[in-house]
Amino acid sequence: MPMTLLSAVLSSFFLVRLIKGPWMRHPHYLGLAMIGSILSTVILASVSPGMEDEFIAGNLAAFAGAFVAIQAFDRLSGINAP
């Protein structure tokens, strides 16, 4: 599980860079993406034990959690610019 969570955190760095640009300018997005990716990985582990260790399912869950967290923050704060 620790390696899975590390993978989720590293996936959030990549996704913030891909969606919002340099993550050093947007640390709030990085924090939200980390929380979202970790939560989605933990939810996947509780729903389907062992699935979070698989390459495709674990990474998709981490990317989806980070993306949902970023989009939810943008919607709630009213930010529409990339």
Side-chain angles (χ1 to χ4, degrees), residues 16 23 25-34 70 73-74 79:
V16 169
W23 52 266
R25 286 193 336 211
H26 306 289
H28 51 285
Y29 286 115
L30 184 60
L32 287 169
M34 284 180 184
I70 289 171
F73 178 75
D74 282 347
I79 298 172

Side-chain angles (χ1 to χ4, degrees), residues 1-10 41 52-53:
M1 187 70 166
M3 291 304 291
T4 305
L5 294 180
L6 179 65
S7 175
V9 169
L10 294 177
T41 304
E52 77 279 357
D53 288 331

Side-chain angles (χ1 to χ4, degrees), residues 8-54:
V9 169
L10 294 177
S11 296
S12 64
F13 276 92
F14 175 69
L15 194 69
V16 169
R17 174 73 176 149
L18 192 67
I19 293 176
K20 294 295 180 181
W23 52 266
M24 289 294 283
R25 286 193 336 211
H26 306 289
H28 51 285
Y29 286 115
L30 184 60
L32 287 169
M34 284 180 184
I35 291 170
S37 65
I38 289 172
L39 281 176
S40 67
T41 304
V42 169
I43 290 171
L44 179 65
S46 67
V47 170
S48 178
M51 192 73 143
E52 77 279 357
D53 288 331
E54 292 187 17

